[in-house]
Amino acid sequence: MILYFSGTGNSEYVAKRIGNETEDEVLDLFDKIRTRDFSEIHSDRPWVVVSPTYAWRIPRILHEWLEQTDLSGSREIYFVMTCGGDTGNSGKYLKRLCGLKKMHYSGCSSIVMPENYIAVFTTPSKEEALEIISRAEKEIDNTARLIREGGIFPQSSPSLKARMASGVVNQLFYPMVVHAGKFYAKDTCISCGKCAHVCPLNNIRLENGKPVWGTDCTHCMACICRCPSEAIEYGAHSRGLPRYTCPK
Ligand SMILES: Cc1cc2nc3c(=O)[nH]c(=O)nc-3n(C[C@H](O)[C@H](O)[C@H](O)COP(=O)(O)O)c2cc1C
Ligand code: SF4
Ligand code: SF4
């Protein structure tokens, strides 16, 4: 079974592509994470977890959900991480998670997709994004083929930089960077409620028709990028940048 979490659609696209190629079931974890549903799920076929990369590891909310949920049936598990550039030494932490769950780690494949982190980096135009995705297609096919054949994803040994990024930098990233305090909605907000609806942590409520952010944010970028009137900004950084959602 293919499980995915996705803020802006890249991981959803890759999960569905792998699902097609392997003729396996695809499950969106959004509702389960949002409602904190950790009830057992079962698959006789190997598990495949597709996710974005947040500070060179899988998102914490997904890691916690995996820790707490009983995945019964197959003991094989693959990880596929979409990223804007690289996934560092994320495999080390995924391997450790598999040990805790008594599952067999079958490797982590990195797929470079368009950058979605509009709060910190520059997001691509639609044309640039399509170009990046077309370059990713071969890697998605190779990843799906290895899963279909029951192979193991090849792993290279991590550099010191990668170990630092997934280790100490990841630890500092959440307390230092991941906050919702800089989000605000402009007057162009049409009070549609979509931002509240797409938040995997239920961190947004509407007050007098306008969004108000709470303190439980994981910086998935769904609210700012999925607002139909582009009314949300993140401090000054997001001004003028294209809102990114996977164009496929
Ligand atoms: C909070 C956050 C942290 C990120 N950290 C990384 C990173 O460490 N390395 C990287 O290559 N891309 C990073 N990215 C980019 C995303 O992993 C990438 O665009 C991903 O494909 C988005 O997937 P999604 O559309 O399924 O949410 C980050 C994005 C966000 C929102
Ligand atoms: S998604 Fe955008 S337009 Fe809709 S309520 Fe939120 S900020 Fe307003
Ligand atoms: S507040 Fe926005 S960025 Fe934060 S978790 Fe919710 S949807 Fe994602």
Side-chain angles (χ1 to χ4, degrees):
M1 187 184 295
I2 324 284
L3 308 175
Y4 74 86
F5 169 74
S6 183
T8 60
N10 287 347
S11 310
E12 176 179 4
Y13 174 69
V14 171
K16 288 181 175 168
R17 280 272 282 102
I18 293 174
N20 273 341
E21 297 295 324
T22 58
E23 297 180 350
D24 199 357
E25 190 184 338
V26 179
L27 179 69
D28 182 359
L29 296 177
F30 177 86
D31 283 335
K32 288 186 178 289
I33 289 174
R34 184 167 157 121
T35 61
R36 303 185 60 75
D37 173 1
F38 305 116
S39 55
E40 176 190 340
I41 33 181
H42 183 90
S43 173
D44 290 322
R45 294 184 60 179
W47 297 94
V48 181
V49 177
V50 186
S51 95
T53 307
Y54 289 178
W56 301 278
R57 283 176 48 185
I58 64 167
R60 252 185 206 179
I61 51 169
L62 176 61
H63 197 277
E64 284 163 11
W65 182 85
L66 286 166
E67 252 172 2
Q68 292 181 54
T69 303
D70 183 9
L71 303 178
S72 65
S74 173
R75 303 327 291 146
E76 303 294 317
I77 184 162
Y78 294 91
F79 292 87
V80 178
M81 293 175 68
T82 70
C83 64
D86 84 280
T87 56
N89 189 24
S90 47
K92 171 181 168 181
Y93 302 90
L94 297 171
K95 226 182 268 175
R96 193 183 281 171
L97 174 68
C98 292
L100 287 173
K101 297 187 73 64
K102 306 214 175 343
M103 295 181 85
H104 178 253
Y105 173 71
S106 299
C108 178
S109 163
S110 306
I111 313 270
V112 176
M113 290 288 280
E115 177 64 61
N116 76 337
Y117 202 2
I118 191 169
V120 176
F121 298 115
T122 301
T123 39
S125 67
K126 187 171 174 190
E127 293 66 37
E128 289 166 333
L130 284 167
E131 179 62 37
I132 294 167
I133 296 168
S134 78
R135 288 201 295 268
E137 297 292 359
K138 203 167 145 208
E139 196 53 41
I140 300 172
D141 286 334
N142 286 340
T143 295
R145 183 180 45 76
L146 268 172
I147 295 169
R148 210 172 40 230
E149 292 170 353
I152 286 178
F153 296 147
Q155 299 294 303
S156 48
S157 50
S159 62
L160 176 63
K161 192 169 153 230
R163 281 184 277 145
M164 298 276 290
S166 298
V168 66
V169 180
N170 177 278
Q171 290 300 308
L172 293 172
F173 171 71
Y174 282 87
M176 291 180 69
V177 181
V178 183
H179 301 287
K182 288 189 186 169
F183 283 120
Y184 66 95
K186 297 182 290 191
D187 290 345
T188 45
C189 166
I190 53 168
S191 303
C192 68
K194 186 167 183 186
C195 49
H197 203 67
V198 299
C199 176
L201 287 170
N202 216 359
N203 187 45
I204 302 173
R205 63 182 196 285
L206 290 200
E207 262 180 30
N208 302 320
K210 303 292 175 219
V212 176
W213 283 262
T215 54
D216 195 14
C217 176
T218 194
H219 265 193
C220 73
M221 302 295 117
C223 54
I224 183 168
C225 287
R226 292 186 185 276
C227 168
S229 54
E230 301 192 2
I232 302 176
E233 299 287 359
Y234 188 84
H237 184 83
S238 60
R239 284 184 213 150
L241 290 177
R243 271 46 186 163
Y244 179 76
T245 53
C246 180
K248 301 274 267 187

